Structures are given as C-alpha cells and as structure tokens.
Amino acid sequence: MLTLRRLSAAAAVTTAAALTLAAGSAAARPIAHHRSPRHPVLHQRGLSGPGGAVFVQTDSLTGNAIVAYERARNGTLTQAGTYATGGDGGQLSGSVVDHLASQNSLVYDAEAGELFVVNAGSNTISVFDVNGDRLQRRQVIASGGSYPASIAVYGDTVYVLNTLGGGTIQGYRLNGGLLTPLAGSTRALGTTPDPASVFTTTPGDIAFSPDGSDLLVTTKGSTNAIDVFALNRLGQPSATPVVNSEPGAVPFALAFEGSDQVDVGEAGTNSIASFELRSNGTLQPLHTLATGGAATCWIVADGGVLFAGNAGSATESSALVSHFGELVLTATTATDPGTVDATPSPDGRYLYVQTGANGIVDEFAVGFAGTLHEIGSVTVPNAAGGQGIASS
C-alpha cells in the first residue's frame, strides 16, 4: 500500500513572490531567452496525459540494468521490462544513496530514439534503441577513461565524463544508433579526488550548451569549478577550458533555462545558482537561492521551473525562474529517503524523483508554480544506491 507524503509547510506557494518574479526586477539586467511554449507558471496541469515511458538505471555492481516503466495517462508507472546493459555498475567509496555521485548517467535522446547509459564498474557505455517502453541494446563501447558517470548528447555528437584517474572527457559520433570515438576529442581534467571523500570530489556532470557550441563540466569539491570547453565545427573541444571558480560551492549538476542561462546545483552551499554563459566561456553570476535543504545536488529544468534534489533532507525544492535569472523558492516537497535525480515527463505534467536509500521512484503531478502532488511510487528492483532516470 502506498503512503502519500504530505507537502511540507514550506510547500505553500508564495503567490506574491511568484507575481513579483514574473514581473522581473527593474534593477536586474535581462538576458536573452527563448522559452518553451509550455510554461508551468501560467497553467495548472491536469491529471491526464498522453502516456509514455520512464527508464531507471539500477547501477548494480553485479550487472547493471535498465528497468523500463510504462507511464499511464494519469502519470502512474507500471514496470514493463528489465534490460541488461552488458556492463557493471560502480560505487564510489563513501557514497550511500548515490553510488555514481553524478547527474545524467542515463540520457534519452528523443531525436535519435536512443538511450545512453554508463557502466561505471566496466568503463563502458551502452546504447539502446527505444520503442515505447521497450529497449533493444545496440552497442557496448569503451568510455575512454575510468569510471564514466555522466553523458551529454547534442545532435550526432555524444560526450562522456570519466570521473576517476584524473578525470577525462571523451567524444563520439553517433551514426545509425552506433557510437564511434571522435578523433581529437579526449581532454584531461586534472582533478584529484580526496581519498577521504571521493564521492564529493569527483566531477559530477557534463552538458552541452543549448546551441551546442560549448561543453560544460562540474568538478564538485575537487577544484570547485565549472569548466567550459569551446567546441569547433567538428565537435572537438578547446585544448584547455575556461575555468569558472566557485570556492566552497561544490558545483554538482547543471541545467539550462533558455539559450544562455546556466543553473547549478551547489552542494557546498545547499543552493541553486544561476549564471549567464557568455560567448568567451565565462559565467556571469545572476542569482543564488538557498533551498533550505541538505545536500542540494541534482537539478532539472522544466519550462520555467527548476527542481532540485536535496539528498540529506529527503526533499525536492521547486523554484521559479524569471527572464532576469532571478530565482524564487515556491515549494519544498517530502520524498522517500535519499533524494537524488529527477526527470519530468515530456509534456511537463509529471515529475519522477529517484530516491537512492531504498531504490524508490516517487511519482508527482506538477501543479501551479512547480508545486508537487504525489500520485504514487514504485520500488525499482536492485536499485538501492542507483542513479540515473530518464523519460520519453
């Protein structure tokens, strides 16, 4: 029997603050945005939708797998199948609820109809064809480094972030559902994890800028920076990155809002920070918002709302984003223990929050200003400590 958690007292929407945010601030400097036509701030979402699928990585040390779920029209999930990746999961020393300590370890590319997943324990990547909630494994290929933990896709270019052995990025070309290593794409990051806290000092996320011209990497507590590599027309990165230092912030995960706003989950300060990504690779600070949670790491953008996972407090924070890069906290929602990654349904009606303590995915309907209303949960087999979730 499902036990529905109540929205905490902090989850009440501050209507006046939301209206102020939407109006913007006369003192703030606007930045260029091209927003999605669906905007959760403006419309109350209903409980019916087109259906689809949600995919969850187990990260099992004895054989990684993807568990596929059918998404019903009311947003609830039903297990549809389990697919071996052909590799093993991994576990960083010291990790408890997120053995990869990363974001985007499982990525669905709707344009290509492919699902990409890391096998951290085998130093490989697996590629699956997606047909509804059914998967067919096409390839298992070496990641070009040690302990792959995050993947980024833009068009026919794919990059993987390897987080041990000093950290590296490796590029690939996607053709016909198969990856081929991209010549001249490997770059060393020069990160050095702290043996006393490996899971907080390995790189955490890799992401393309919305126009595909830059590749961003978070280094978490190793160098407390966001590295920005410029990409040439072949998709090869600059020899060295522009290093945007954030002392003590522990930048963990990345999300983009509009064409040039980067939003960052910062574990060191338990905050969401917004930046303008400039053409020279530097990040101009716009706003910082404390979530009030503990271990704020993961972040996902959904049409004008940001959702941030707070692993230490078992909560998901909702924040509105203005055209000026300002952020306002609108809700704090209880989850199962060990809040990690999340994924919205493509229509924005539902949010699926992965929780690592017991391998549970919490299902939420998304309401006004990003408020979350629980509609159920599923326990993913053999997924305690696992991380990686995507929807189609």
Side-chain angles (χ1 to χ4, degrees), residues 59-141:
D59 194 42
S60 172
L61 302 181
T62 56
N64 194 15
I66 304 300
V67 183
Y69 290 87
E70 178 187 9
R71 185 177 70 251
R73 294 177 68 85
N74 67 355
T76 57
L77 302 179
T78 301
Q79 187 174 333
T82 300
Y83 302 87
T85 67
D88 293 333
Q91 181 175 359
L92 293 173
S93 62
S95 65
V96 179
V97 299
D98 174 25
H99 294 164
L100 297 178
S102 68
Q103 182 169 273
N104 289 317
S105 63
L106 177 66
V107 174
Y108 172 63
D109 180 29
E111 183 177 351
E114 305 291 349
L115 191 71
F116 304 89
V117 59
V118 301
N119 301 301
S122 301
N123 298 330
T124 58
I125 310 165
S126 299
V127 184
F128 289 86
D129 285 342
V130 178
N131 182 11
D133 56 27
R134 298 190 301 273
L135 302 178
Q136 180 180 4
R137 193 174 75 212
R138 293 290 308 277
Q139 184 184 29
V140 181
I141 187 171

Side-chain angles (χ1 to χ4, degrees), residues 159 169 171 182-187 215 229-232 234-240:
Y159 268 85
I169 60 172
L182 176 61
S185 66
T186 306
R187 296 291 183 272
L215 195 63
F229 291 89
L231 299 177
N232 65 21
L234 299 177
Q236 299 161 324
S238 52
T240 58

Side-chain angles (χ1 to χ4, degrees), residues 67-340:
V67 183
Y69 290 87
E70 178 187 9
R71 185 177 70 251
R73 294 177 68 85
N74 67 355
T76 57
L77 302 179
T78 301
Q79 187 174 333
T82 300
Y83 302 87
T85 67
D88 293 333
Q91 181 175 359
L92 293 173
S93 62
S95 65
V96 179
V97 299
D98 174 25
H99 294 164
L100 297 178
S102 68
Q103 182 169 273
N104 289 317
S105 63
L106 177 66
V107 174
Y108 172 63
D109 180 29
E111 183 177 351
E114 305 291 349
L115 191 71
F116 304 89
V117 59
V118 301
N119 301 301
S122 301
N123 298 330
T124 58
I125 310 165
S126 299
V127 184
F128 289 86
D129 285 342
V130 178
N131 182 11
D133 56 27
R134 298 190 301 273
L135 302 178
Q136 180 180 4
R137 193 174 75 212
R138 293 290 308 277
Q139 184 184 29
V140 181
I141 187 171
S143 70
S146 179
Y147 208 87
S150 183
I151 294 173
V153 182
Y154 185 87
D156 64 354
T157 306
V158 177
Y159 268 85
V160 63
L161 171 62
N162 295 289
T163 60
L164 293 180
T168 58
I169 60 172
Q170 170 67 50
Y172 301 84
R173 193 71 72 206
L174 178 65
N175 185 16
L178 299 175
L179 295 175
T180 302
L182 176 61
S185 66
T186 306
R187 296 291 183 272
L189 299 177
T191 55
T192 305
D194 181 352
S197 185
V198 175
F199 75 104
T200 63
T201 54
T202 48
D205 198 8
I206 187 169
F208 283 97
S209 60
D211 65 0
S213 64
D214 293 298
L215 195 63
L216 287 71
V217 176
T218 63
T219 66
K220 295 189 352 228
S222 177
T223 63
N224 278 288
I226 302 169
D227 293 347
V228 179
F229 291 89
L231 299 177
N232 65 21
R233 61 182 180 83
L234 299 177
Q236 299 161 324
S238 52
T240 58
V242 175
V243 177
N244 296 274
S245 296
E246 289 195 276
V250 189
F252 189 105
L254 301 164
F256 279 89
E257 178 63 28
S259 62
D260 56 3
Q261 181 176 316
V262 186
D263 301 294
V264 184
E266 298 187 338
T269 58
N270 295 315
S271 302
I272 303 170
S274 62
F275 301 86
E276 178 189 357
L277 174 60
R278 294 183 166 179
S279 59
N280 63 359
T282 60
L283 296 177
Q284 174 66 33
L286 297 174
H287 194 242
T288 300
L289 173 70
T291 64
T296 302
C297 297
W298 297 267
I299 187 169
V300 60
D302 183 23
V305 174
L306 297 173
F307 297 103
N310 307 302
S313 54
T315 56
E316 189 78 13
S317 297
S318 304
L320 295 186
V321 186
S322 81
H323 288 269
F324 301 88
E326 294 174 294
L327 309 170
V328 167
L329 187 69
T330 58
T332 301
T333 308
T335 71
D336 275 291
T339 315
V340 288

Side-chain angles (χ1 to χ4, degrees), residues 7-22 41 289 318-320 327-332 368-371:
L7 207 64
S8 70
V13 178
T14 307
T15 305
L19 293 175
T20 299
L21 178 63
V41 177
L289 173 70
S318 304
L320 295 186
L327 309 170
V328 167
L329 187 69
T330 58
T332 301
F368 181 78
T371 54

